[in-house]
């Protein structure tokens, strides 16, 4: 075992995107271990500089983390909902206090802008706080008089140890979506961040532990999907990631009949009708597509606009895309960072090229920025393509980056048909002044969320989750409790 110097991730905050090397091991029993064995090298997507090294956890390391979570679970479950909620609230408050400290590390390892990192970290704290509040509201059922003298009740029991696997686009909020309900319900957690974004998650685990989370209740294994991820299939696997990986996780979980919830990819359509507030709709489309450099599951990935108003909308979206300021996330005024990895950029470039080979017009962007300062990062211009073939990759595949296809449609029926013509079913939105069209969109769009005349903001109060290739199961809302508990029926027959 090679042990090098260990530096707290908090020091990443001081790097502000500059080259530093940090070394961090996995987080087990309430503490970060020294880096050990094989390592992952983490690079800054904007500059190519090395941010640090983290342990590339193998099956034995994952096993230790799972054992730690098992050992802590019974005591954690015994503490009761109100008490667990209080611990979670203290964690949420501590996270809020550390937001400014965490921003530097998140920007350095993920590539997003400082503003996006701040929004993400605050949202993660909000979600933990939301579930802390719900802790006293958890209910189950009771039936009086099933038969004469017979009552029934439903117990909610924690599952035990759950394995939270998350991707790199929003490392902290996606984890908080799982931690909130899992911890409130009395489970303990082994989290696995993406192998490119380990540091913020490790520091988050430290902050929650310093705020009162008992050792072992949350463990973090840093490692690759095929090695650490596959080793980590415990009682329940709430998984967020791509559709192919989700299918693989589901297949693994079948052995031993483990539960999974799958929050997978999306290709969310937006329909803009001729009676819509076109300015607001264009803003929502640009914001919804280019936020986080287009790397969001719920991004607006396809726009269908009525032909009679299409020119105005296309011009507005293209103008917004062209005005966005690309750059290194820590630079003042930057609105769009790099893509997360060279591979992600290559995949998107290939999707655009294959699409354009069949037709379509590029009305904004189209390639890499011509800026000497950005040549070491994985930057791509915000790109808008009009009327490519509807069977092309930009219509059929998930485009996980800053590129938006727009189609002109003749009427609402065609818009709904094309919007539903996708293997995915995560979110959708419609912009219209017509109550009838709005209601039809809500009823007929095949997906888990529809926004009407609204930017695509996710609310903790409402359940969220996809259909079809976008997975199944719900996060957010009190509905999430159903996925982190077993519901057991008990029948009691009185003697008289
Ligand atoms: P990914 O599927 O490659 O990786 C996600 C996580 O799974 C990572 O931690 C990875 O290491 C792990 N993993 C990879 N292979 C594994 C395996 N064989 N067994 C177990 N774990 C494994 O996804 P990505 O490319 O990192 O993330 C982007 C994808 O995530 C996009 O498709 C996006 O739409 C989706 N996403 C979905 C939601 C949602 O809530 N629906 C939210 C964010 C992102």
């Amino acid at each position: 075992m090679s042990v090098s110097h260990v530096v707290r991730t908090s020091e990443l905050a001081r790097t502000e995107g500059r080259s530093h090397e940090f070394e961090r091991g996995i987080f087990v029993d309430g503490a970060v271990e020294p880096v050990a064995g094989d390592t992952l090298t983490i690079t800054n997507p904007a500059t190519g500089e090395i941010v640090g090294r983290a342990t590339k956890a193998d099956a034995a390391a994952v096993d230790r983390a799972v054992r730690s979570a098992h050992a802590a679970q019974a005591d954690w479950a015994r503490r009761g909902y109100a008490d667990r909620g209080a611990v979670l609230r203290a964690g949420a408050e501590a996270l809020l206090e550390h937001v400014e400290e965490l921003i530097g590390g998140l920007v350095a390892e993920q590539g997003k802008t400082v503003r996006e990192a701040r929004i993400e970290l605050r949202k993660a704290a909000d979600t933990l706080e939301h579930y802390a509040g719900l802790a006293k509201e958890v209910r189950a059922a009771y039936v009086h008089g099933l038969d004469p003298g017979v009552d029934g009740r439903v117990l909610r029991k924690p599952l035990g140890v759950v394995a939270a696997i998350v991707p790199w686009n929003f490392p902290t909020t996606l984890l908080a979506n799982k931690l909130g309900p899992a911890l409130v319900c009395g489970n303990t957690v082994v989290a696995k961040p993406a192998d490119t974004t380990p540091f913020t998650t490790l520091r988050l685990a430290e902050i929650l532990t310093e705020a009162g989370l008992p050792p072992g209740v949350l463990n973090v294994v840093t490692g690759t999907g095929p090695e650490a991820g596959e080793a980590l299939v415990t009682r329940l696997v709430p998984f967020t990631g791509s559709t192919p990986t989700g299918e693989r996780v589901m297949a693994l979980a079948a052995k031993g009949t483990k539960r999974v919830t799958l929050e997978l990819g999306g290709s969310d359509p937006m329909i803009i009708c001729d009676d819509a507030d076109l300015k607001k709709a264009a803003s929502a489309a640009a914001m919804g597509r280019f936020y986080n450099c287009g790397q969001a599951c719920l991004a607006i990935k396809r726009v269908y606009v009525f032909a009679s108003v299409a020119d105005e909308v296309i011009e507005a979206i293209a103008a917004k895309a062209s005005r966005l300021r690309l750059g290194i996330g820590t630079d003042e005024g930057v609105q769009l960072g790099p893509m997360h990895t060279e591979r992600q950029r290559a995949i998107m470039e290939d999707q655009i090229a294959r699409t354009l080979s069949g037709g379509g017009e590029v009305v904004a962007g189209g390639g890499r920025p011509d800026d000497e300062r950005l040549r070491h990062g994985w930057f791509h211009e915000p790109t808008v393509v009009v009327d490519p073939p509807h069977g092309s990759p930009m219509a059929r595949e998930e485009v996980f980056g800053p590129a938006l296809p727009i189609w002109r449609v003749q009427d609402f029926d065609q818009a709904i048909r094309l919007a539903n013509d996708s293997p995915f079913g995560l979110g959708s939105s419609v912009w219209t002044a017509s109550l009838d069209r709005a209601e039809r969109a809500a009823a007929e769009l095949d997906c888990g969320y529809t926004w009407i005349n609204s930017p695509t903001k996710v609310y903790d109060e409402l359940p969220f989750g996809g259909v079809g290739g976008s997975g199944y199961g719900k996060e957010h809302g009190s509905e999430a409790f159903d996925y982190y508990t077993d519901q057991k029926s008990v029948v009691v027959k009185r003697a008289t």
Side-chain angles (χ1 to χ4, degrees):
M1 175 189 282
S2 81
V3 178
S4 311
H5 74 286
V6 178
V7 182
R8 289 167 68 89
T9 318
S10 57
E11 294 186 25
L12 278 170
R14 286 182 224 132
T15 71
E16 292 178 345
R18 288 187 297 276
S19 172
H20 273 252
E21 290 201 18
F22 300 94
E23 303 208 333
R24 306 272 280 161
I26 62 174
F27 185 86
V28 177
D29 284 339
V32 174
E33 296 186 346
V35 73
D38 291 345
T39 54
L40 305 163
T41 300
I42 310 305
T43 54
N44 183 324
T47 62
E49 292 168 329
I50 291 176
V51 178
R53 262 176 273 277
T55 295
K56 183 166 174 263
D58 57 13
V62 171
D63 211 49
R64 273 192 300 112
V66 172
R67 270 190 275 122
S68 167
H70 270 299
Q73 201 266 324
D75 280 350
W76 179 242
R78 253 196 298 275
R79 284 177 74 155
Y81 279 93
D83 195 14
R84 289 194 296 271
V87 173
L88 204 61
R89 173 161 289 116
E93 284 165 2
L95 173 54
L96 264 187
E97 282 162 20
H98 286 82
V99 162
E100 295 306 311
E101 172 211 315
L102 286 162
I103 285 173
L106 183 53
V107 171
E109 68 180 353
Q110 206 285 334
K112 60 183 67 197
T113 66
V114 165
R115 178 173 174 273
E116 288 168 337
R118 184 174 290 120
I119 291 172
E120 174 180 336
L121 290 159
R122 286 185 182 161
K123 175 69 183 156
D126 259 13
T127 297
L128 295 181
E129 201 271 337
H130 181 78
Y131 280 100
L134 284 185
K136 290 185 180 174
E137 299 290 325
V138 180
R139 298 279 183 276
Y142 181 87
V143 187
H144 180 66
L146 287 168
D147 271 321
V150 179
D151 295 339
R153 62 177 191 261
V154 181
L155 303 185
R156 243 184 218 285
K157 298 179 70 186
L159 300 174
V161 176
V162 306
I165 303 179
V166 293
W168 45 263
N169 55 338
F170 296 98
T172 60
T173 48
L174 296 174
L175 181 58
N177 295 345
K178 296 170 173 41
L179 284 184
L183 296 179
V184 159
C185 290
N187 303 287
T188 55
V189 176
V190 181
K192 197 199 86 59
D195 55 7
T196 48
T197 53
F199 296 124
T200 314
T201 309
L202 289 167
R203 181 66 187 129
L204 172 62
E206 276 182 329
I207 290 167
L208 298 183
T209 302
E210 285 160 11
L213 203 64
V217 171
L218 169 62
N219 301 276
V220 180
V221 292
T222 52
T224 66
E227 192 174 12
E230 297 210 1
L232 185 62
V233 179
T234 50
R235 180 74 202 283
L236 163 76
V237 193
F239 171 85
T240 302
S242 63
T243 303
T245 309
E247 287 170 358
R248 170 82 185 137
V249 167
M250 195 174 169
L252 289 169
K255 208 168 163 202
T257 53
K258 310 290 194 320
R259 275 202 212 186
V260 288
T261 61
L262 300 174
E263 298 289 344
L264 308 181
S267 181
D268 292 5
M270 174 186 280
I271 296 173
I272 304 176
C273 300
D274 51 358
D275 57 358
D277 182 327
L278 300 181
K279 253 183 155 166
K280 283 190 184 158
S283 281
M287 171 71 161
R289 173 67 279 196
F290 299 118
Y291 188 73
N292 211 44
C293 198
Q295 300 166 124
C297 55
L298 275 175
I300 303 297
K301 294 177 182 148
R302 295 175 289 142
V303 168
Y304 300 97
V305 56
F306 278 39
S308 54
V309 295
D311 287 348
E312 186 181 340
V313 170
I314 291 166
E315 199 182 316
I317 295 175
K320 281 177 191 301
S322 305
R323 273 201 304 271
L324 285 172
R325 198 166 148 222
L326 237 73
I328 296 168
T330 44
D331 286 356
E332 194 67 28
V334 163
Q335 294 164 297
L336 200 80
M339 294 185 70
H340 184 55
T341 60
E342 185 174 17
R343 183 171 165 270
Q344 289 293 326
R345 185 174 67 176
I347 291 171
M348 189 184 77
E349 286 176 335
D350 178 57
Q351 288 172 316
I352 295 173
R354 281 188 290 129
T355 295
L356 292 176
S357 71
E361 183 193 358
V362 177
V363 295
R368 299 179 187 180
D370 185 19
D371 179 338
E372 184 55 21
R373 274 199 78 221
L374 305 184
R375 80 190 151 87
H376 297 296
W378 317 125
F379 292 92
H380 195 282
E381 293 172 325
T383 295
V384 180
V385 176
V386 176
D387 285 332
H390 207 264
S392 66
M394 291 185 84
R396 302 294 305 163
E397 299 172 11
E398 179 180 38
V399 177
F400 212 60
L404 178 67
I406 304 178
W407 288 271
R408 293 180 171 88
V409 291
Q410 295 312 315
D411 55 30
F412 196 64
D413 285 341
Q414 188 191 12
I416 293 272
R417 188 171 50 73
L418 292 178
N420 282 339
D421 182 20
S422 164
F424 299 100
L426 198 56
S428 62
S429 42
V430 61
W431 288 78
T432 179
S434 152
L435 181 62
D436 188 49
R437 284 174 175 162
E439 289 293 343
R440 273 194 60 197
E444 294 177 26
L445 288 169
D446 297 331
C447 59
Y449 223 118
T450 296
W451 285 267
I452 297 167
N453 297 328
S454 164
T456 50
K457 177 180 171 186
V458 172
Y459 289 89
D460 282 323
E461 292 86 340
L462 298 176
F464 166 85
V467 301
S470 294
Y472 59 78
K474 297 292 175 196
E475 292 196 328
H476 302 275
S478 54
E479 286 80 357
F481 290 137
D482 290 344
Y483 295 87
Y484 290 92
T485 49
D486 270 328
Q487 296 193 36
K488 177 181 178 182
S489 294
V490 178
V491 172
V492 180
K493 187 170 183 356
R494 290 188 291 279
T496 53

